[in-house]
Amino acid sequence: MNVLKIATAGSVDDGKSTLIGRLLYDTKSLTDDKLEAIEKTSKQKGYDYLDFSLATDGLVAEREQGITIDVAHIYFSTATKSYIIADTPGHVEYTRNMVTGASTSQAAIILIDARKGVIEQTNRHFFINNMLRVKDVIVAINKMDLVDFSEEKYNAIKADFEKLMAKREYQDQKITFIPVSALKGDNVVNKSENMEWYKGQTLLEHFEDLDRKDIFNVGTPRFPVQYVIRPKTDEFHDFRGFAGKVYGGELNVGDEVVVLPSMTKSKIKDIYFYDKKYKTATRRSSVTITLEDEVNVSRGDMLVKVGDLPTIGKEFTATVSWMDSDKLTTGKKYVVQHGVNKVLAKVDNIHHKINPDYSGVHAAINGLEMNDIAQVTFKLNKPIFYDSFKDHRTNGSFILIDPQTNTTAGAGFIN
Amino acid sequence: MEIAEIETTIKNNLVKVDTNALESEAIYILREVAAQFERPVLLFSGGKDSITLVRLAQKAFWPAKIPFPLMHIDTGHNFPETIAFRDKLVKELGVELIVRNVQDSIDEGKVIEETGKYSSRNMLQTTTLLDAIEEFKFDACIGGARRDEEKARAKERIFSVRDDFGQWDEKKQRPELFDMLNGEIEIGQNVRVFPISNWTELDVWSYIEKEEIEIPSIYFAHKRNIFLRDGLIWSAEDDVVFRAEDEVVEERWVRFRTVGDMSCTAAVLSHADSIKKVVAEIRDSKISERGARIDDKRSEAAMEKRKQQGYF
Ligand SMILES: Nc1nc2c(ncn2[C@@H]2O[C@H](COP(=O)(O)OP(=O)(O)O)[C@@H](O)[C@H]2O)c(=O)[nH]1
Ligand SMILES: [Mg+2]
């Protein structure tokens, strides 16, 4: 079954949790006991309606304060697809959560409160989803019930948002506008009876229509080796299989490949998935590959097709999204994890900080604080094999690990 | 099915790798564990989720054996069917099985047995587990928890770092971007790994059906002596579940949706005696899986609290 991962973005109280709860309710994904718990708590709090945000806010602090703190994942399925929705808190401090949520998603919902229209934070939500190159973005104009389901209001907000779209870097991003009421259920799963003027699809109809081919960014095939399988049994005495996940494209038996960094050439002999052999390893499948020749391959190496080499280098510049409370400064050392490969890196130069709201850049800065986004050049102790993020979402991204605390301190997207 | 559809199915099976996003993701995670850690272990409860994990591990490393042992924290209140099943599976796989008993922790005075109507050994497991992690110096423990099970679990990472005391700090979780998993830890810390985080209960059942994976018989409908309490159905066949004088025993067709500790796992009325019927039943079901787990009903925040203390 197809799986579609969707990230949500919106400011506090725009209705993200309510929208997700509504999706669950109208697709009959809420089980009786969960619904009962929501009814009970809504009543205790003295509400006139069901508070669907209770379906997703999981931590005690979240329920107490009525806000979402950490990314939550919510699951439901229809006859055609399995959906995974990341409920990402949208407060200013939480750029980090948004970047994280968007990194694993093929689609995103940006919520706008119809009473407030496009606000500064909307710029931010759009900027980040565009920077992360999320393929499909829905702009859900919510709380339409509070503006009398007004078409003029909807059109005015849409026009404002379109002004933003002109500034985006990733122009091919598909953007769709839908007027909704998460609380009352208009245009979420069911067509609104209050907005006859809207002729488009409901939110769920839109997602149901997204084709699998459509949702992944395509690049050239890259095969980072995760693990070498050597059974050392009588039956498989000489078996040396390279286990990994195929990114960007497909690999076929007989393909001529280059092993990086040794640059040794060979041919794909067999492609295994479990105990069966296949001709083609499809995109994002976890397979085991054997080669015609006895070549030296270990974890962190990469198989690519002959004539399709990535950049091999010990220096690169990237857009960095900083996620740690300790500052990133020039000269500091980090571990760069690029796919499954780890190398030591030194911050060579911080060029400029980028305001994630299309308001320009700061040239002179002396370090990055949590939630900052900036252009940074790194020098590495060993070469890595990378593509530009705009050509290859997987092979163009990395994380930064602080060697002192071991925490994931930031993420980067290579120019 | 249309003929064209059958033809593509046959063709795809021969030509293109037949996997889905969830299966490939889980295999990727298991391989990362084997590569990034020195002493990983797969926590095996005998339940359907951990049985599914075992199959995924077989797939991840074939034709080699699974490169880590299985460990069972035995509450002593397991369904006998589960234990028999466990021993048979381990023999077939040819992997090492480690068993550590909650009874031993009780005998050593490390934990105190609960008493009364709602007594359960589920909470006590945590101590036995943490002791075993220390004993074997495990640095990664693979578990079958899923984010759709419970609200606090929905916030759990795939690689979840625990401190020296096995505790979970939900505010200090590492962000997880793209497919990259950061398994860097200090000595004494360990990582809980959840390869099927993104699966739902239905995904697991559908997978068991598709892969024809064998599971313990108690998952299928059978006749059992039961009694009712708080709208839940409890087994009256073993002495594990406390039963008051006035709680009447009757025989019914039931099956179990999870096979945790007997003392906190309720049954559901069911006639689904095959995997196909079970999948159909789950698809239509209106009660969530953990709705039959009394340990979650203790309070709205029950799971979050247990997780902070080091529970799975
Ligand atoms: N009238 C109205 N209220 C809404 C709508 N969507 C959300 N709300 C309310 O807005 C408040 C914040 O919603 P919530 O889902 O918690 O927002 P979040 O912070 O984005 O997750 C709650 O009181 C909701 O009931 C809507 O479509 N119409
Ligand atoms: Mg919320």
Side-chain angles (χ1 to χ4, degrees):
Chain A
M1 183 129 76
N2 289 353
V3 178
L4 183 65
K5 292 192 182 174
I6 304 168
T8 56
S11 309
V12 175
D13 281 354
D14 280 352
K16 289 179 302 301
S17 301
T18 309
L19 181 73
I20 294 169
R22 168 58 72 178
L23 269 171
L24 294 176
Y25 183 66
D26 282 353
T27 53
K28 315 248 176 324
S29 312
L30 281 176
T31 48
D32 284 350
D33 51 330
K34 283 187 184 155
L35 195 57
E36 233 167 70
I38 291 171
E39 279 165 358
K40 198 173 105 195
T41 315
S42 298
K43 216 191 238 157
Q44 276 170 1
K45 293 193 169 177
Y47 298 155
D48 300 334
Y49 46 82
L50 295 182
D51 183 357
F52 291 118
S53 69
L54 295 167
T56 69
D57 291 341
L59 302 171
V60 176
E62 291 177 327
R63 283 196 300 275
E64 276 169 9
Q65 299 168 38
I67 53 161
T68 314
I69 294 169
D70 190 19
V71 183
H73 297 86
I74 295 97
Y75 301 81
F76 70 95
S77 47
T78 61
T80 56
K81 272 194 189 75
S82 290
Y83 290 89
I84 304 177
I85 305 193
D87 183 4
T88 39
H91 205 262
V92 199
E93 301 82 276
Y94 291 116
T95 303
R96 154 192 151 141
N97 289 344
M98 253 190 294
V99 171
T100 306
S103 78
T104 50
S105 301
Q106 295 98 36
I109 305 171
I110 296 178
L111 264 97
I112 295 178
D113 184 330
R115 294 170 303 176
K116 299 181 190 152
V118 173
I119 55 173
E120 194 217 313
Q121 286 198 38
T122 314
N123 295 14
R124 215 172 266 272
H125 302 149
F126 180 56
F127 183 96
I128 287 168
N129 277 302
N130 194 263
M131 178 175 85
L132 269 289
R133 304 182 81 80
V134 176
K135 273 206 105 173
D136 191 273
V137 169
I138 305 294
V139 180
I141 299 169
N142 189 30
K143 308 198 183 180
M144 288 300 290
D145 56 306
L146 298 179
V147 295
D148 295 329
F149 300 103
S150 154
E151 186 178 8
E152 288 76 48
K153 194 93 205 175
Y154 166 79
N155 282 332
I157 295 170
K158 186 168 169 236
D160 278 349
F161 197 93
E162 279 163 350
K163 279 181 220 147
L164 264 185
M165 283 161 55
K167 300 183 195 170
R168 71 191 146 146
E169 200 211 276
Y170 171 34
Q171 282 287 338
D172 290 341
Q173 189 171 49
K174 195 176 144 213
I175 294 165
T176 311
F177 296 88
I178 306 179
V180 302
S181 168
L183 191 66
K184 305 283 161 68
D186 298 70
N187 289 335
V188 179
V189 172
N190 304 313
K191 274 224 155 43
S192 169
E193 286 171 9
N194 300 306
M195 290 179 276
E196 299 279 332
W197 48 265
Y198 172 74
K199 303 282 178 247
Q201 291 179 308
T202 67
L203 192 67
L204 187 69
E205 281 167 357
H206 175 88
F207 290 138
E208 291 282 280
D209 265 7
L210 279 187
D211 181 30
R212 188 184 178 73
K213 274 196 247 63
D214 233 353
I215 58 179
F216 285 111
N217 304 58
V218 190
T220 42
R222 302 288 181 234
F223 188 76
V225 175
Q226 275 186 283
Y227 190 82
V228 180
I229 297 177
R230 304 208 53 182
K232 297 181 184 160
T233 55
D234 292 337
E235 196 186 346
F236 295 95
H237 194 266
D238 295 321
F239 188 97
R240 268 174 66 84
F242 308 116
K245 201 166 161 186
V246 189
Y247 295 100
E250 295 185 341
L251 287 174
N252 291 292
V253 169
D255 279 351
E256 295 202 17
V257 293
V258 185
V259 182
L260 302 174
S262 71
M263 296 296 268
T264 325
K265 280 189 191 167
S266 188
K267 246 190 202 167
I268 294 183
K269 185 171 169 223
D270 286 311
I271 293 171
Y272 289 93
F273 182 72
Y274 196 21
D275 55 358
K276 289 200 185 66
K277 290 183 192 179
Y278 296 85
K279 282 210 179 77
T280 304
T282 44
R283 206 160 70 230
R284 300 189 81 79
S285 60
S286 285
V287 295
T288 302
I289 289 177
T290 57
L291 297 178
E292 293 280 2
D293 312 280
E294 279 227 2
V295 288
N296 205 352
V297 182
S298 48
R299 174 172 166 88
D301 291 357
M302 186 182 279
L303 307 187
V304 300
K305 284 209 218 178
V306 168
D308 230 352
L309 295 190
T311 309
I312 302 164
K314 284 174 75 171
E315 184 182 327
F316 61 77
T317 301
T319 305
V320 167
S321 164
W322 195 243
M323 303 178 164
D324 202 27
S325 46
D326 291 342
K327 265 174 121 178
L328 174 141
T329 50
T330 310
K332 257 197 178 171
K333 290 195 179 119
Y334 295 96
V335 174
V336 161
Q337 182 172 345
H338 172 244
V340 301
N341 202 1
K342 278 182 194 165
V343 295
L344 264 181
K346 195 165 129 185
V347 179
D348 187 55
N349 195 356
I350 308 173
H351 302 278
H352 53 255
K353 202 170 111 181
I354 303 159
N355 296 335
D357 56 5
Y358 298 103
S359 67
V361 301
H362 288 295
I365 43 157
N366 57 6
L368 299 189
E369 315 251 359
M370 170 141 23
N371 292 315
D372 279 350
I373 293 173
Q375 282 281 306
V376 181
T377 299
F378 294 92
K379 288 217 158 114
L380 315 176
N381 74 332
K382 271 193 334 200
I384 59 164
F385 340 112
Y386 62 89
D387 293 288
S388 154
F389 184 68
K390 73 179 187 328
D391 297 329
H392 211 292
R393 243 181 141 206
T394 315
N395 203 39
S397 54
F398 60 90
I399 56 173
L400 292 161
I401 301 170
D402 184 330
Q404 242 87 55
T405 60
N406 291 327
T407 192
T408 303
F413 319 103
I414 303 173
N415 287 5
Chain B
M1 253 202 283
E2 305 256 337
I3 294 201
E5 224 177 302
I6 295 170
E7 269 172 12
T8 23
T9 312
I10 294 170
K11 199 169 133 241
N12 282 346
N13 279 339
L14 292 172
V15 180
K16 292 204 174 189
V17 170
D18 177 28
T19 176
N20 66 31
L22 295 175
E23 185 187 41
S24 272
E25 178 181 76
I27 291 173
Y28 171 86
I29 295 164
L30 287 164
R31 288 168 168 175
E32 279 305 285
V33 175
Q36 291 196 40
F37 297 94
E38 273 168 33
R39 289 197 59 79
V41 65
L42 191 151
L43 296 186
F44 187 81
S45 70
K48 64 175 193 316
D49 296 318
S50 58
I51 293 169
T52 300
L53 275 184
V54 168
R55 169 57 57 90
L56 289 162
Q58 279 178 286
K59 287 198 172 190
F61 302 104
W62 186 93
K65 275 187 193 157
I66 298 173
F68 33 74
L70 311 190
M71 179 162 77
H72 184 205
I73 301 299
D74 190 341
T75 58
H77 288 173
N78 284 290
F79 292 94
E81 292 89 340
T82 318
I83 301 293
F85 182 90
R86 174 197 79 189
D87 294 340
K88 187 169 147 253
L89 181 70
V90 168
K91 213 166 152 201
E92 280 165 15
L93 294 171
V95 296
E96 184 194 354
L97 172 75
I98 297 165
V99 181
R100 283 297 173 268
N101 298 298
V102 172
Q103 187 61 52
D104 293 339
S105 304
I106 296 172
D107 295 345
E108 288 160 25
K110 287 180 172 156
V111 290
I112 296 162
E113 179 96 79
E114 295 179 5
T115 51
K117 204 170 175 181
Y118 293 103
S119 65
S120 154
R121 285 187 169 180
N122 206 38
M123 294 282 278
L124 311 186
Q125 277 184 79
T126 304
T127 304
T128 316
L129 170 66
L130 295 182
D131 284 350
I133 290 173
E134 211 173 301
E135 178 187 348
F136 293 97
K137 308 256 177 299
F138 290 128
D139 50 4
C141 303
I142 305 161
R146 308 188 321 268
R147 287 175 181 153
D148 83 322
E149 276 178 85
E150 205 277 338
K151 286 188 288 192
R153 286 229 199 267
K155 313 256 157 169
E156 180 72 88
R157 299 295 186 267
I158 289 172
F159 271 18
S160 178
V161 182
R162 305 300 164 100
D163 64 18
D164 309 29
F165 304 99
Q167 298 194 325
W168 183 59
D169 185 347
E170 79 282 1
K171 284 173 214 84
K172 272 211 266 176
Q173 300 203 78
R174 294 174 182 173
E176 289 181 338
L177 292 110
F178 301 97
D179 277 358
M180 285 172 281
L181 296 167
N182 171 6
E184 298 286 330
I185 48 169
E186 274 172 45
I187 293 175
Q189 292 183 322
N190 66 81
V191 173
R192 304 287 170 89
V193 182
F194 304 109
I196 57 168
S197 276
N198 284 325
W199 298 42
T200 61
E201 185 189 14
L202 183 58
D203 290 327
V204 172
W205 282 111
S206 307
Y207 192 69
I208 290 169
E209 183 184 16
K210 176 175 169 267
E211 295 284 319
E212 299 176 352
I213 300 172
E214 219 186 303
I215 51 171
S217 54
I218 47 168
Y219 278 117
F220 300 113
H222 56 277
K223 267 195 199 155
R224 184 175 280 265
N225 285 321
I226 56 102
F227 66 94
L228 290 172
R229 179 196 299 155
D230 306 334
L232 297 176
I233 301 161
W234 300 96
S235 173
E237 299 212 338
D238 319 81
D239 291 333
V240 170
V241 189
F242 175 93
R243 183 169 57 81
E245 291 279 301
D246 57 347
E247 289 173 318
V248 191
V249 176
E250 48 191 320
E251 194 187 60
R252 287 293 188 86
W253 276 93
V254 298
R255 63 177 194 84
F256 291 88
R257 280 177 80 172
T258 70
V259 295
D261 188 288
M262 256 194 284
S263 61
C264 62
T265 310
V268 289
L269 294 177
S270 170
H271 284 281
D273 55 4
S274 70
I275 182 71
K276 209 168 157 198
K277 288 184 195 164
V278 170
V279 171
E281 199 181 272
I282 303 279
R283 200 165 264 139
D284 300 335
S285 169
K286 294 270 91 196
I287 306 266
S288 74
E289 181 182 9
R290 295 198 80 93
R293 293 285 290 255
I294 198 70
D295 42 336
D296 289 338
K297 297 223 157 167
R298 288 183 175 193
S299 87
E300 268 276 286
M303 174 68 90
E304 187 179 341
K305 238 192 233 139
R306 268 181 293 147
K307 280 173 67 66
Q308 283 165 349
Q309 288 160 357
Y311 179 78
F312 220 70

